[in-house]
Every structure is written in structure tokens, then in C-alpha cells.
């Protein structure tokens, strides 16, 4: 807690509507306390033992017979040292299956990432499931201002929502891309904003050496850590995507290797849309996804054995009429659950997403997201990316959808509470009493428990039709609209030591003066 | 098929917009063919073996120590004959647990109901899951005409939708209550309409002797069956609700007993809203639900051993602020899954519902329904009541919600298809080919499969934002609105032999002349 003892809370700067100079007397919503859900249910496993073995064998044949392209010389060097079959005349690397399993075994099946506020540390793996806000859309939308490209203001708004909601456990990449900040310095401003507005686990994009190194340095500074302390345990994470089929590109590999060297977490998420970048058959797409992920895991375990890595699943289907990706589909659900089986086979945590293809926060968005969330929970995904705010297959971050998703995330947390079956829970005496009273509202057994017995939603409207209509027949997105405004109005940034903030700002200023990260435009 | 060989198709009578005199050249939607989904996944079981035994023990203690009130003298007589402890001075009946299990064992764990079109026979139990349209709301709504009390016209519209959609396997009670038909003859007009417009398995309300007997007779006539043929196997079903806590009322018992005598199916669904008519604890509510259901099952097995019965689950929580029932909640999901465990313990099929509390077909309606449907599937419910069209906790049947629910039901059917893991599915050669081509759209493996590889929704809009916006930014309910209109426009009633229709109409005329069913108003 040493980094927060200064108590000099730094608030939002640079205008905006609320000013945030006073603590709002109202409270936007009554939300669940911070907690990490544990999935107690057995996972849903669409693959039989034979099916699982067949997909594993397929993945291994891809690695052995076809191989994966690594577009990074250092990566090839490390893979050669690991014992992989590296083609000196191309980027192709082939892997013996024994090597793959040996290297995957070095990765931990469970670990903890600790952000600048250690009370927001998150366990990754096992039965734990953590939720991460939407990342990387170029656009954002809300009911008042419509759809528009992201800016620093909307970026900060969405970071604040991510900090506010206890059901968001980690902050992902940029919740919207702030195109009003030049790409050379965007990462500096964005990571600074995130570190000031948010005390949860941070992500860094693997988009070139400078950005990754700057991100690690800023997260180290914000945590008040020495370099040795930073390196001692996971403090942050990145996500890399393969360029499916079967390629790992330079920037992603470079970032992943830099994090691995310092013991930081890497998710490897192949972009295996079935029918487009992977076979049209789900088993084939998952075999390819598995092969692409494991190839990178071999590399990272060779660089730093024990590096925390997560197997990412993003496999879905495309609309075969248009080629557009679809999410929250039956195929997406099954692919996610199959990915869970693969991850558990290799003893790795699983990442999936709360994704949808809908263009607005309507019923389609809700059922696609609910089905995605179902897939994550029944497939026992340990990390749920894009858990709140995602629309349009990831091209838009919706303020209202963010609030709606947090409602369903809370419901998922409530769903994963264990069911009591003590004599008190079975309540035969209470039933005898209720039988005489003809209802249970007033009996002691109810009175003792009713305040906490059931999950209480903040967004659902459970009034009868007449009351709902009389109050204006307000639909879900309009209710969510009121809530995000109230949250932003009352938002207060978490405490950050003034000296740390000064150091952070000095770093940003220096790196800006140096020109930030090189850009090719 | 003898009952349909006449081929004299009787169409809708009495006005309406479409007239239905020609076959529409267009097709409203491309839907999945008729099929009964089989739930291949292991069910989700929130209760441990010990927890399950504790809830079972609780149910048995309720039956042994407290007992159930049977407000029907014949029922008491039958229960006394079965060996139950019948209080001569009250309606209370207590049951020894050995008797309960012995009688429950007489009920089949799986059976088939055969409607007038034997091609629409449905298997109940095992891994089968069947979907039934919304039943019994007093109101209906659509985007054009708003919310209004049900009429015969809206009743018929919703029956037509139930017949049209292949994912609706059985027709439930009245999809909306047609209040413009006098209650004394409402059942005659309604069952006639249903039998003419629909060839799927029919439901009869247990609302008094005459209505039940008329329903059985009309379904017998429509099937072209002798009395012996009707009695020989399940042809129809009813649903009875206990008056929780712990009462079975006269009309429901009377109807159930009449169906049981003729070997017809009965679902027993206690109305155990936790915190109101049952304990506030889920385990207590499920113990009570189980006891209430089993008590009636003892009765029906005593009357006719082997009568097909289904254990109904309707347990949900109430909003403890208002007392209003809530559906699609975390508690509803768990209650449904726990009910599945109880039903399987006693070897009985399970009924649950696709329910929600939302007041309009918006995102809340969609996530509550998706969560309910998830509960039904993960809990392995064999019958999903109210699967399409339900809003407002059952007080309104929405035309648009009906279409939206059928979209998600189709997705559930697609979800339950087995996953192929042959060498062809794993597709290592296709991956090698795709690796060279850099995408999979054009390769032979994709070309051979793309038309059927993925489920294709009829309601989801997967276009990109720009195309969607250019086309009017049409949201889900508005798209559903267009679809139900197209369906009603092109609707054709299934074939019905002219002689059978004549007999049916003569029966209705005679019973109307006799005054129909007595009413107390």
C-alpha cells in the first residue's frame, strides 16, 4: 500500500463536464463489491476424450508437418536453441510434439497479477474468471452523441467506467482508440491517463519496441517499484495475435518477448475465424488456433521458463454470405468451450471474449453477448476480454452497452455463488410456518434473509407494465444512458502518491521530447 | 396419415388481413427443418451429491411431516387407497417416502406424444428438449398496435406463428387469452381454431370438468381416432399448478385425474416463488416444489400406473422490494438446474420455461430470456414452456418477441449439433493449403462445406455499421415486426380431412347449444 499513502488524489484534468471537484452526494448505482468469481460448475465439454485427442493430434501435426512462420530473427534464434526445427532460408519453424508439451509444461497453470493497488490483484487460472473492459475499437457511441471516432475524452470516460465498476477486474487496451492524439505519443498519454484514473491491472499493446518498453516503465513507476520488484512477479500483461493462418508477426513477437523477459504475462490469441483464416470446420479451426498459440508459448518459455502465458480463443465463424465475422453464435459458443478443453489439456489458463456482431445495444446485442458470456462461463474461460462495452464485432465501444454488460457480468458473479443446503437452507420448519401463514413474506426465516437472499440488479426494470409505462416506458439503453452519466459525474480517481505522479509526468514529458515511438505515417 | 389424406385444406375463416386464398410467392424466412434437439452435454449440477440428498430428504420430510392439502374428495380417496395417510377431518394428506418413490417409479422416464399429424410426434424425456409457445397471457402486443387485451384474432395470429415455426414443437395453452369470446364457450372456439390452424401436440387447460372433457373429445375427433385409439397412447397434455404452499386445488386435480385415466400427459408445476410462496432459500424452495409435484404424481400413478407425468419447475425469486416475480435471474437459472437434478433423481422428465420480467422486447428481455434458455439447456429441461413470445412475467404475448425467441431457439438447436472430429474435420491438409493461399475462402475444403457449415440466423443483422445505417438502422424488434407480418401473410393451415372438420364443427355447435362450460360470472 506504500504507493497510495500520500493520499494526494489527482483528479481528472483538462476540462470535461463534471469537473470532479466535489464528491457527488448521490451514488450512481448500488453495485456488488469487488470479488473474483470462481466457476464451481464442471465445464461443458463438447469434445469426447477421443475428439479431444484428435484435435490435439491435429494441432501437433500442424506444428510438426506444416510449421509456423516467425517473422523475427531473435525468435527464430530462441526457437532453434529450444530444439525446434528452424529453416535457415525462411521464417518457417517446425516443432516436435514432445518439445511442445515439455515447454508448455513450464508455464504456470495459475498465477497472480498485481497492479499498483495490490488490493486489485487478480488470480489468473484455475476456476477463477476475471472480466476486462472492451479494447481497441476505433469508434465509440452513446445515445446522445451517436457514433463517432474515439477521442481522448471518450477514452477517459470509458477508462473511468472500467475503474468504477467492481465487476471489471482488469483494464484492457484502449477502450476506444483516441485518434486525436498523435500515434507517436498516444501510448504515453493513454497509459498515463489509465494509470492516474485506474488502479487495476494494466495492459500494454505489443506495437513496437518503444511502446512496450515505455508501458513497462510507466507501470513500474506508477507502482512505486524498483526494476527488480517489477520483474519479480507479474504486474501487467499484453495480448498478441497471430496472423492466421500460421504466422507470428514481428511487432507482436517483439512485445511478447520483451514482457516474457521480465516475467510479465502474455496472452496469445490466434485470429482463427473459421472459413476465412482457418478451416470452415470447428475442429480444424481449433486445431489451428491451438497450434498457433502453442508455437508462441514454446518461444516464451524458452526465453524465460515459467513466464505466465494464457491461451487465447477468438475462434468464431464468418457470415459465409458476406465474409463478415460473427460472434455469440452457436459456433462461437462451441469453439470457446473446445478451447477450454484444449487449454486444460496443456495446463494453461484460457482467455475468451464477450463478443457480439450487433450494431446497436438492442436485443440482438444482448442475446449475442449473453451467449458469448455463457460460452465463457461454461467453457471456464479464466479471462473474459471485451467483457463490457463491445459492439459491431469490436469496431465500436458503446457507453450504454458498457453499463448493460456490467449488469450481466454482475449476474454471472451472482450465478457463481455456491448454493447452501444446510438444514436452515432446506427450511422444512419455515415451510410449515409458511403453510399456516399462506405466504412467506412475513415469516422470520424470510425476514432474516431477504435483504441478501437474491441478486438485485441495478439496470433491470422489474416494475409492472403500468408503472413502467407511467414512468415513461424507458427501455434498457436509455436507462443505461442515465447510469453512465451519473457514474462519470461522481467519478473520483483512485489515490496516487504525488511524487509518483510527478515521476510519471516527467517520464511522459521526456519521452515526448524524444519524439515518442516511431510511426510510419 | 389417414387423417390427412382427404387433402381438403381448411383455411382461416372470418376475415383478417391476408385472406390466405393463395400461396404467397415469397417465403417469410428460411428456417431450420423440424427437428427435436438432443442435449448432448452433461447437465450443469449446482447441487453436490450430499446437497441433492439433503434437498430430497427435505422434500420427503415435507411430505411425511407437514403433508399436502388435496381439495378434491376423489383425490383423497385414491390417495388413501395408495396407502397415504389421509386425514378424514381435513384435506391434509401425508406420504411415507417409500410410497412416494415407489409411485414415482411407475411413471415413465421417457414417452412420446402423438398429435393429429403423427409426423409432429414429440419425444418427452431423456436428452430430448422440446419448445412450446407462450401460454395464457391476458394481453398481447406488437409495435403497430401496442399493448391490448387478447382477442380471437390475436389468439389465431399467435397460433399461426406457433404452427409456422419448426422450432415450436408443441402448442401450449392459449398464446393469448381471447377475452372477446365468452368464457363458457371460449375453450370450444379456441381448441377448434388450434386444431384447424395447427397439427402439433395440443394442450388442454384443467379448468373444470367440461372444458377438460371437451378438449379430449375434440383432440380425439381431430385425430380421427376411436376412443380406444385415443386412450392407447399420449395424444395431448395438460399442466397443473399447485397453490403453493402445499395445496392442490379442485379444478387442477380434476383435470389431471381425467387426463390420467385416459393415459394422457400431465405436467405438475408448483408455483414456488422463493420468498413469497416458498422459502427465500433456493434449496428450501426446490424442496417444496419437489414435494408438491411428487404428491400429485403419487395420485396420478395410483389412478393409472404408468401415466406420463412431467415434473415442472417454475421456481424463481421475487423482487424483495416490490414482491414482483423476476425471471431469467441467477436464482432462476440455479433453481432450474437444481430441478433438473431432482427430476433425474426420480427418473422423471423436467419442464421449465423461457421466461423474463421485461416490459418490452429490448435488451433486458433478451438477456433474461437468454439466461432462462441457458438454464433450460444446461439443466436439461425436456419441455421448455413459454419458449417464444413471453414478456412481463407472463402478462403479455409479444408478436415481435415471439419471432426473436424463435431465432434464439434455432440457435439452441444449432448449438446442440454434435461436433465432428474426423480427419476431414481436423483438416490438416486444408490448413496446409490455406497457409499457402493465405485464406480459406476459396479452397476446396471450404467450398465443399460452406453452405451448411454454420448456422444462418433469420433475424440477426450482421452487416457492417455503415450498411446497416444506410438501410435505416433497423433494430431487432422492427425486423421481427416485418417477419411476423410476412409469416401471417403467407400462412397456410395444415391439411385437415373435410369429414373430420365437419365432425369437429358439429361437436362445437352442439356443445355451444348446450351452454358450454359453466362459469361463475
Amino acid at each position: 500500500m506504500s504507493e497510495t499513502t500520500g493520499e494526494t488524489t489527482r483528479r481528472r484534468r483538462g476540462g470535461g463536464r463534471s469537473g470532479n471537484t466535489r464528491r457527488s452526494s448521490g451514488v450512481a448505482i448500488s453495485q456488488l463489491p469487488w470479488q473474483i468469481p470462481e466457476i464451481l460448475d464442471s465445464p461443458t465439454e463438447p469434445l469426447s476424450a477421443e475428439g479431444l485427442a484428435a484435435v490435439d493430434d491435429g494441432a501437433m501435426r500442424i506444428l510438426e508437418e506444416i510449421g509456423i512462420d516467425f517473422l523475427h530473427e531473435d525468435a527464430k534464434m530462441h526457437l532453434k536453441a529450444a530444439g525446434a526445427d528452424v529453416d535457415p532460408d525462411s521464417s518457417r519453424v517446425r516443432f516436435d510434439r514432445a518439445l511442445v508439451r515439455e515447454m508448455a509444461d513450464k508455464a504456470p497453470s495459475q498465477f497472480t497479477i498485481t497492479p499498483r493497488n495490490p488490493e486489485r490483484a487478480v488470480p489468473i487460472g484455475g476456476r477463477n474468471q476475471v472480466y476486462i473492459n472492451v479494447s481497441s475499437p476505433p469508434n465509440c457511441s452513446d445515445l446522445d452523441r451517436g457514433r463517432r471516432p474515439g477521442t481522448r475524452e471518450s477514452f477517459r470516460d470509458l477508462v473511468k467506467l472500467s475503474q468504477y465498476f467492481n465487476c471489471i477486474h482488469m483494464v484492457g487496451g484502449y477502450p476506444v482508440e483516441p485518434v486525436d492524439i498523435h500515434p507517436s505519443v498516444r501510448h504515453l498519454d493513454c497509459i498515463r491517463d489509465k494509470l492516474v484514473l485506474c488502479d487495476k491491472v494494466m495492459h500494454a499493446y505489443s506495437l513496437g519496441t518503444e511502446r512496450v518498453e515505455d508501458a513497462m516503465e510507466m507501470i513500474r513507476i506508477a507502482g512505486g517499484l524498483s526494476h527488480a520488484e517489477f520483474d519479480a512477479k507479474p504486474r501487467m500483461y499484453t495480448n498478441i495475435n497471430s496472423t492466421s493462418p500460421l504466422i507470428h508477426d514481428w511487432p507482436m513477437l517483439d512485445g511478447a518477448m520483451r514482457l516474457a523477459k521480465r516475467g510479465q504475462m502474455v496472452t496469445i490469441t490466434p485470429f482463427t475465424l473459421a472459413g476465412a483464416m482457418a478451416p470452415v470446420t470447428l475442429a480444424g479451426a481449433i486445431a489451428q488456433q491451438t497450434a498457433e498459440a502453442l508455437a508462441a508459448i514454446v518461444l516464451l518459455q524458452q526465453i524465460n521458463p515459467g513466464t505466465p502465458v494464457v491461451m487465447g480463443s477468438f475462434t468464431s465463424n464468418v457470415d459465409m454470405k458476406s465474409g463478415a465475422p460473427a460472434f455469440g453464435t452457436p459456433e462461437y459458443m462451441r469453439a470457446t468451450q473446445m478451447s477450454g478443453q484444449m487449454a486444460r489439456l496443456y495446463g494453461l489458463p484460457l482467455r475468451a471474449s464477450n463478443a457480439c456482431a450487433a450494431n446497436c445495444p438492442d436485443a440482438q446485442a444482448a442475446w449475442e453477448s449473453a451467449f458469448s458470456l455463457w460460452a465463457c462461463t461454461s467453457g471456464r474461460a479464466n479471462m473474459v476480454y471485451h467483457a463490457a462495452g463491445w459492439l459491431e464485432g469490436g469496431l465500436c465501444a458503446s457507453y450504454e452497452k458498457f453499463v448493460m454488460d456490467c449488469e450481466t457480468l454482475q449476474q454471472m458473479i451472482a450465478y457463481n455463488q455456491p448454493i447452501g443446503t444446510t438444514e436452515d437452507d432446506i427450511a422444512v420448519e419455515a415451510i410449515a410456518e409458511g403453510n399456516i401463514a399462506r405466504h412467506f413474506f412475513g415469516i422470520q426465516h424470510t425476514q432474516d434473509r431477504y435483504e441478501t437472499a437474491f441478486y438485485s440488479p441495478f439496470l433491470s426494470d422489474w416494475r409492472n407494465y403500468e408503472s413502467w409505462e407511467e414512468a415513461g416506458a424507458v427501455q434498457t439503453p436509455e436507462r443505461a444512458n442515465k447510469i453512465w452519466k451519473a457514474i462519470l459525474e461522481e467519478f473520483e480517481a483512485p489515490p496516487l502518491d504525488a511524487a509518483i505522479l510527478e515521476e510519471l509526468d516527467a517520464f511522459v514529458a521526456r519521452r515526448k521530447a524524444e519524439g515518442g515511438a516511431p510511426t510510419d505515417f
Side-chain angles (χ1 to χ4, degrees), chain A residues 344-359:
Chain A
R344 289 188 293 279
L345 178 65
Y346 310 118
L348 297 167
L350 173 70
R351 164 256 157 118
S353 306
N354 183 11
C356 67
N359 287 306

Side-chain angles (χ1 to χ4, degrees), chain A residues 51-286:
Chain A
L52 181 62
V55 177
D56 172 47
D57 181 66
M60 296 304 148
R61 282 185 58 205
I62 295 164
L63 290 165
E64 288 175 337
E65 298 169 20
I66 308 174
I68 307 284
D69 285 313
F70 282 78
L71 306 185
H72 195 298
E73 286 306 315
D74 281 0
K76 285 174 63 182
M77 180 194 76
H78 287 298
L79 288 169
K80 193 172 167 63
D85 173 16
V86 177
D87 183 348
D89 300 322
S90 78
S91 51
R92 190 63 53 101
V93 181
R94 293 179 180 80
F95 301 80
D96 181 81
R97 64 183 69 197
L99 171 67
V100 173
R101 290 300 280 267
E102 180 199 328
M103 299 303 278
D105 283 349
K106 295 183 197 287
S109 58
Q110 190 168 339
F111 52 87
T112 296
I113 317 182
T114 306
R116 74 170 173 92
N117 178 357
E119 291 179 8
R120 296 288 171 263
V122 290
I124 305 292
R127 291 174 176 270
N128 302 296
Q129 184 167 71
V130 300
Y131 302 127
I132 307 162
N133 62 294
V134 61
S135 299
S136 312
N139 303 295
C140 64
S141 72
D142 63 66
L143 293 185
D144 304 307
R145 293 165 291 186
R147 183 176 185 265
R148 57 198 189 277
T151 60
R152 188 169 185 179
E153 190 194 353
S154 49
F155 166 88
R156 292 166 67 132
D157 285 347
L158 291 161
V159 169
K160 289 176 188 174
L161 294 181
S162 305
Q163 170 70 8
Y164 177 85
F165 278 104
N166 292 326
C167 62
I168 300 297
H169 302 106
M170 302 168 64
V171 286
Y174 309 158
V176 68
E177 196 74 30
V179 294
D180 55 349
I181 311 176
H182 192 273
S184 62
V185 297
R186 189 180 295 165
H187 68 289
L188 297 167
D189 285 336
C190 284
I191 296 172
R192 183 211 169 275
D193 281 356
K194 285 171 71 174
L195 286 167
V196 170
L197 295 171
C198 201
D199 62 0
K200 298 177 183 177
V201 171
M202 295 278 149
H203 162 277
Y205 286 105
S206 285
L207 288 173
T209 305
E210 292 79 6
R211 290 189 182 89
V212 166
E213 293 292 344
D214 286 346
M216 287 196 286
E217 185 63 4
M218 291 172 75
I219 291 166
R220 184 192 68 76
I221 292 169
L225 303 169
S226 68
H227 286 277
E229 285 168 336
F230 179 85
D231 293 357
K233 58 182 181 179
R235 306 283 185 180
M236 60 175 296
Y237 72 109
T238 191
N239 181 84
I240 67 168
N241 304 109
S242 42
T243 302
S244 304
L246 309 184
I247 295 178
H248 281 295
D249 272 326
W250 190 92
M252 295 284 183
L253 286 172
D254 190 71
M257 290 192 291
R258 287 176 186 278
L259 260 72
K261 277 175 197 146
R262 302 190 68 178
Q264 304 304 314
M265 193 203 106
V266 181
T267 300
I268 304 98
T269 310
F271 198 49
T272 38
L273 286 173
M277 292 88 102
V280 76
T281 47
L282 282 190
I286 297 300

Side-chain angles (χ1 to χ4, degrees), chain A residues 423-427 430 433 443-450:
Chain A
E423 198 169 327
D424 228 34
D425 296 309
I426 309 280
E433 207 182 325
I443 71 169
Q444 197 60 44
H445 185 267
T446 307
Q447 290 296 311
D448 291 345
R449 291 165 183 77
Y450 81 92

Side-chain angles (χ1 to χ4, degrees), chain A residues 22-41:
Chain A
R22 57 176 177 80
R23 184 165 195 97
S24 166
S25 57
V27 174
I29 59 163
S30 171
Q31 64 173 323
L32 292 182
W34 168 272
Q35 60 196 297
I36 308 292
E38 277 187 75
I39 313 286
L40 301 177
D41 297 323

